[in-house]
Amino acid sequence: MSLEIEKQVKLLEDQLKQLQGAQAKDQISIIVFSGDLDKVLAAMIIATGARAMDMEVKMFFTFWGTTMLRDKNKSPKGKDFMSKMFGFMLPKGSTKLKLSKLNMGGMGTEMLKGLMQKKNVASLEDLITIAAELEVEICICQMSMDLMGFKKEEMIDYPNLKYVGVGTYLADAGESRVQLFI
Amino acid sequence: MSLEIEKQVKLLEDQLKQLQGAQAKDQISIIVFSGDLDKVLAAMIIATGARAMDMEVKMFFTFWGTTMLRDKNKSPKGKDFMSKMFGFMLPKGSTKLKLSKLNMGGMGTEMLKGLMQKKNVASLEDLITIAAELEVEICICQMSMDLMGFKKEEMIDYPNLKYVGVGTYLADAGESRVQLFI
Amino acid sequence: MSLEIEKQVKLLEDQLKQLQGAQAKDQISIIVFSGDLDKVLAAMIIATGARAMDMEVKMFFTFWGTTMLRDKNKSPKGKDFMSKMFGFMLPKGSTKLKLSKLNMGGMGTEMLKGLMQKKNVASLEDLITIAAELEVEICICQMSMDLMGFKKEEMIDYPNLKYVGVGTYLADAGESRVQLFI
């Protein structure tokens, strides 16, 4: 009979191990679809806050969100006409993003930035620097890059910036305890 | 003593089985609230991508999102005045959706569609066809149908289209590994 | 040998207990970032629906979302100039929120409200009352309060209203089975 029990215990061990392996990691996965200053700020505050609590953080910038990652000082050559036009129409980096509401020709956006400074809230540029220091992982949607006609050489210098597809996002999201679409 | 052990092992087996039953499925649950072309595209790309990776996919179209599922060739009779007005003001199907940004009187939307074709990105109409083939499950919020005054006979022919309430969404979301609100 | 088995069973029990402790609660965590009537309605419908299904519900109102929680009958004194201006420009409570689309100078919003009444859909004000009765937990982002210049004494009377930071949100979200950003 004790042999029988041994078998059962072995089976339990295996099942338990399998269950442990399937648990979500202490990780948050954030799609940043929006390029609005307010929404991007929310995403970066959540991301850096999560790292401060020792969660792993994976951010996926797609569509309008990719504009936050453009470097205003870089101007890549050799773009076709459409890419140049999109490049001109879309915000060139974090300092150019606008509020989704109350922008009022830029006045609302400047008001908010002034308030943030006054209330000692980190600016978007500060948050990007902090995110890099805290090792927030930033991925950019390759398809969005293609559609917008952005080139890798016009994006900001961020440690381990990756260009990925939806499959990478889904794999990471599936392992994460928390997922957001912003 | 071996009887004691047997009892303990039996208890462990029961608890393990319970835990296994409570695990999230390899399933993604997406609320499509938005009717903006860009956001709906993101939702459909994630949905079809997830099916390609063998995840189950449950989409819940609500509010403006329901407009993607209208069939531009169907015109139901017998609507009251308000329903007719809403029906007139809201986009009639996937080809009529507009970008949330840079629409510029439709020019931006056409530009994006042109780019997608050029870069071999599947159009929204293609993605809906692919979703049907891959058995992405689409549910429509019944309350939104009532509010917008939409009738079932004006929606697209999609396999197993379901009309459900928030309870169905919550039950599915609670079983899913990933949940998004788009 | 039976001693060996006893040890193994003890180890399994410990691991199982740990795994049980790490399971997500039957809880939904919702960030309400938007102050648009349609999105806030969606959030409140999901929240009250989840409570009706006995899920725990934690809502975090941030940025424009905080405006839903202003009390139109309260006018706090002693605000500085910027806070007064923001207070004037932002909607004062649930009855002042507008649709994200088809607002048409308020006409679309009134149309929707009329339709909701006609179709017996609970109004936003009803949903807030129901949420309070069902013990939906509402937290407000303290940083948003500071930025918008809102004071606690101008917010609605809601049971156990809490003012919290991003850390509290992340701790709750990490324990939740479902998380949404609206």
Side-chain angles (χ1 to χ4, degrees):
Chain A
M1 192 188 72
S2 88
L3 249 168
E4 185 57 29
I5 284 285
E6 267 184 88
K7 266 193 205 161
Q8 282 176 286
V9 168
K10 184 76 190 61
L11 190 69
L12 279 175
E13 274 174 356
D14 291 347
Q15 291 183 318
L16 196 66
K17 203 165 284 174
Q18 206 183 4
L19 210 52
Q20 285 169 332
Q23 296 305 295
K25 292 188 201 168
D26 196 18
Q27 177 173 293
I28 179 168
S29 157
I30 305 173
I31 294 181
V32 185
F33 174 91
S34 170
D36 296 324
L37 177 60
D38 40 355
K39 290 201 185 168
V40 167
L41 273 172
M44 294 305 293
I45 288 168
I46 294 169
T48 51
R51 279 301 297 142
M53 290 167 74
D54 249 350
M55 290 178 83
E56 293 299 311
V57 181
K58 308 237 171 182
M59 303 185 87
F60 297 80
F61 284 77
T62 186
F63 243 85
W64 317 109
T66 56
T67 61
M68 187 196 90
L69 299 166
R70 295 175 81 195
D71 189 323
K72 66 178 175 187
N73 298 315
K74 297 183 185 169
S75 294
K77 305 270 177 220
K79 286 198 177 186
D80 59 31
F81 176 72
M82 283 294 263
S83 300
K84 268 187 201 151
M85 239 175 97
F86 258 113
F88 180 73
M89 288 187 306
L90 291 168
K92 200 164 175 183
S94 59
T95 58
K96 300 295 168 62
L97 304 184
K98 304 256 175 274
L99 286 179
S100 65
K101 306 268 165 188
L102 289 190
N103 180 47
M104 302 181 297
M107 197 178 78
T109 299
E110 289 315 311
M111 254 176 77
L112 180 85
K113 287 185 183 178
L115 269 173
M116 286 172 64
Q117 204 168 6
K118 201 176 143 197
K119 308 271 181 184
N120 289 315
V121 176
S123 70
L124 182 52
E125 291 69 40
D126 291 342
L127 285 166
I128 297 172
T129 307
I130 295 165
E133 278 164 11
L134 293 177
E135 299 184 1
V136 167
E137 186 180 308
I138 291 188
C139 293
I140 307 184
C141 170
Q142 181 62 55
M143 200 194 77
S144 300
M145 293 287 290
D146 293 345
L147 277 182
M148 310 271 186
F150 292 163
K151 298 195 168 191
K152 291 184 187 180
E153 54 263 39
E154 71 186 288
M155 306 313 267
I156 58 170
D157 299 314
Y158 187 93
N160 300 312
L161 205 59
K162 290 196 192 82
Y163 297 85
V164 305
V166 69
T168 304
Y169 162 70
L170 284 164
D172 283 336
E175 288 182 347
S176 298
R177 195 176 283 274
V178 181
Q179 312 92 27
L180 301 174
F181 183 98
I182 297 184
Chain B
M1 192 187 73
S2 88
L3 250 168
E4 185 58 29
I5 285 284
E6 266 184 88
K7 266 193 205 161
Q8 282 176 287
V9 168
K10 184 75 189 62
L11 190 68
L12 279 175
E13 274 175 355
D14 291 348
Q15 291 182 318
L16 196 67
K17 203 164 283 176
Q18 206 182 3
L19 211 51
Q20 283 169 333
Q23 295 305 296
K25 292 189 201 167
D26 196 17
Q27 177 174 294
I28 180 168
S29 157
I30 305 174
I31 294 181
V32 185
F33 174 93
S34 170
D36 296 325
L37 177 60
D38 40 356
K39 290 201 184 169
V40 168
L41 274 172
M44 295 305 293
I45 289 168
I46 293 169
T48 52
R51 278 302 297 142
M53 291 167 75
D54 249 349
M55 291 176 83
E56 293 299 312
V57 181
K58 309 237 171 182
M59 303 185 87
F60 297 80
F61 285 76
T62 186
F63 243 85
W64 317 109
T66 56
T67 62
M68 187 195 91
L69 298 166
R70 296 176 81 194
D71 189 323
K72 65 178 175 186
N73 298 317
K74 297 184 186 169
S75 295
K77 305 270 178 220
K79 286 198 178 188
D80 59 32
F81 176 71
M82 284 293 264
S83 301
K84 268 186 201 153
M85 239 174 98
F86 258 114
F88 181 74
M89 290 187 304
L90 291 169
K92 201 165 175 181
S94 60
T95 58
K96 300 296 167 60
L97 304 185
K98 305 255 175 274
L99 287 179
S100 64
K101 306 267 166 189
L102 287 189
N103 180 47
M104 304 180 297
M107 198 178 79
T109 299
E110 289 314 310
M111 255 176 77
L112 181 85
K113 287 185 182 177
L115 269 172
M116 286 172 64
Q117 203 167 8
K118 202 176 142 197
K119 308 272 179 182
N120 289 314
V121 176
S123 71
L124 183 51
E125 291 69 40
D126 291 343
L127 285 166
I128 296 172
T129 307
I130 295 166
E133 279 165 11
L134 293 177
E135 299 184 3
V136 167
E137 186 180 307
I138 291 189
C139 294
I140 307 183
C141 170
Q142 181 61 54
M143 199 194 77
S144 301
M145 293 287 289
D146 293 345
L147 277 183
M148 310 270 186
F150 293 163
K151 298 196 169 189
K152 291 184 187 180
E153 53 263 40
E154 71 184 290
M155 307 313 269
I156 58 169
D157 299 315
Y158 188 93
N160 301 312
L161 206 58
K162 290 195 191 83
Y163 298 85
V164 305
V166 69
T168 304
Y169 162 70
L170 284 164
D172 284 337
E175 288 183 347
S176 298
R177 195 177 282 276
V178 181
Q179 311 93 28
L180 301 174
F181 182 100
I182 297 184
Chain C
M1 190 188 73
S2 88
L3 249 168
E4 184 58 29
I5 285 285
E6 267 184 86
K7 267 193 206 161
Q8 282 176 287
V9 168
K10 184 76 190 62
L11 190 69
L12 280 175
E13 275 175 356
D14 291 347
Q15 291 182 319
L16 196 66
K17 204 164 285 175
Q18 207 182 2
L19 210 51
Q20 285 169 331
Q23 296 305 296
K25 292 188 201 168
D26 196 17
Q27 177 174 294
I28 181 168
S29 156
I30 306 173
I31 294 182
V32 185
F33 175 92
S34 171
D36 296 325
L37 177 60
D38 40 355
K39 290 201 184 169
V40 168
L41 273 172
M44 294 305 293
I45 289 168
I46 294 169
T48 52
R51 278 303 296 143
M53 291 168 74
D54 248 350
M55 290 178 82
E56 293 297 313
V57 182
K58 308 235 171 184
M59 303 185 87
F60 297 80
F61 284 76
T62 186
F63 243 84
W64 316 108
T66 56
T67 61
M68 186 195 91
L69 299 166
R70 295 176 81 196
D71 189 323
K72 66 177 173 185
N73 298 316
K74 297 184 186 170
S75 294
K77 305 271 178 218
K79 286 197 179 188
D80 59 31
F81 176 71
M82 284 293 263
S83 301
K84 269 187 201 152
M85 239 174 98
F86 258 113
F88 180 73
M89 290 187 305
L90 292 169
K92 200 164 175 182
S94 60
T95 59
K96 301 296 168 60
L97 303 184
K98 304 255 175 274
L99 287 179
S100 65
K101 307 266 166 190
L102 289 190
N103 181 47
M104 304 181 298
M107 197 177 79
T109 299
E110 289 314 311
M111 256 175 77
L112 180 85
K113 287 184 183 178
L115 269 172
M116 287 171 65
Q117 205 168 6
K118 201 177 143 197
K119 308 271 181 184
N120 289 317
V121 176
S123 70
L124 183 51
E125 291 70 40
D126 291 342
L127 285 166
I128 296 172
T129 307
I130 295 166
E133 278 164 11
L134 294 177
E135 299 185 2
V136 167
E137 185 180 309
I138 291 189
C139 294
I140 308 183
C141 170
Q142 181 62 55
M143 199 194 76
S144 300
M145 293 287 289
D146 293 344
L147 277 183
M148 310 271 186
F150 292 163
K151 297 195 168 189
K152 291 183 187 179
E153 54 262 39
E154 72 185 289
M155 306 314 267
I156 58 169
D157 299 314
Y158 188 92
N160 300 312
L161 206 59
K162 289 195 191 82
Y163 297 85
V164 306
V166 69
T168 304
Y169 162 70
L170 284 164
D172 284 337
E175 287 182 347
S176 298
R177 194 177 284 274
V178 181
Q179 311 91 29
L180 302 173
F181 183 99
I182 298 184

